[in-house]
């Protein structure tokens, strides 16, 4: 066991540098959808940093409306942020499952089709100054409480 004093502090520089390098190499960093252009969630080139995010993905590119397709089973361990000022995203789940702890929903559309499943272990939290939409078809399901903290939510589906 080592004892540290004011004159003998622990050498944290190497450990912090190593942790930063590990984060950079493995892609464990928050990222944003880089442009208001439609694409696939699992395509790293669409995200800042060039990697599919594993921490707090945020889909809020500013500009024209765009769609982000979840095209395969996707498990996120951190919250997903959808929309923001000047952003008009549609998050589309088509025939697949998205497992996520929570979703912060500020602007845009959340659309499920062809048997898609959205499994949110926490809640979908709507916090907007306007209105957001959740659209489903008869074969899709959302497993989550929905909290409307501010603004309004439009539900479209059977």
């Amino acid at each position: 066991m080592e004892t540290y004093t004011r004159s003998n502090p622990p050498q944290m520089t190497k450990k912090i540098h190593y942790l930063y390098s590990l984060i950079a190499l493995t892609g464990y960093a928050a990222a944003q959808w880089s442009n208001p252009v439609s694409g696939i969630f699992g395509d790293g080139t669409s995200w800042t940093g060039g990697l599919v995010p594993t921490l707090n993905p945020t889909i809020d590119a500013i500009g024209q409306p765009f769609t982000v397709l979840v095209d395969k089973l996707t498990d996120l361990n951190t919250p997903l942020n959808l929309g923001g000022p000047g952003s008009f995203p549609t998050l589309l789940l088509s025939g697949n499952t998205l497992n996520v702890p929570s979703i912060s929903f500020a602007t845009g559309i959340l659309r499920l089709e062809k048997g898609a499943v959205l499994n949110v272990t926490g809640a979908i939290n709507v916090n907007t100054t306007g209105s957001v939409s959740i659209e489903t078809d008869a074969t899709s399901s959302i497993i989550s409480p929905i909290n409307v903290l501010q603004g309004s939510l439009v539900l479209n589906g059977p």
Side-chain angles (χ1 to χ4, degrees):
M1 182 166 110
E2 297 182 43
T3 303
Y4 299 105
T5 64
R6 181 178 282 222
S7 61
N8 178 26
Q11 299 298 312
M12 296 298 291
T13 306
K14 287 183 182 178
K15 290 180 184 178
I16 291 171
H17 179 68
Y18 172 76
L19 179 59
Y20 176 78
S21 297
L22 182 62
I23 289 170
L25 289 173
T26 58
Y28 289 105
Q32 290 182 287
W33 194 259
S34 57
N35 291 302
V37 176
S38 297
I40 297 173
F41 186 93
D43 178 7
T45 61
S46 295
W47 296 94
T48 56
L51 298 171
V52 177
T54 54
L55 294 177
N56 300 320
T58 299
I59 301 172
D60 68 348
I62 296 172
Q64 65 189 12
F66 61 97
T67 299
V68 177
L69 171 65
V70 177
D71 67 334
K72 61 183 178 181
L73 170 66
T74 302
D75 294 311
L76 298 175
N77 295 319
T78 60
L80 172 67
N81 303 300
L82 184 61
S87 179
F88 306 99
T90 295
L91 182 63
L92 173 61
L93 281 70
S94 183
N96 290 290
T97 299
L98 172 62
N99 297 308
V100 62
S102 65
I103 296 176
S104 293
F105 197 4
T107 60
I109 299 169
L110 178 57
R111 181 176 297 140
L112 286 77
E113 62 183 34
K114 299 178 184 172
V117 176
L118 175 61
N119 184 19
V120 183
T121 54
I124 298 171
N125 296 305
V126 175
N127 193 357
T128 181
T129 56
S131 178
V132 295
S133 297
I134 296 179
E135 303 173 353
T136 64
D137 64 13
T139 62
S140 299
S141 59
I142 297 175
I143 305 166
S144 173
I146 300 173
N147 302 318
V148 179
L149 306 172
Q150 180 179 340
S152 63
L153 171 65
V154 177
L155 297 174
N156 295 312

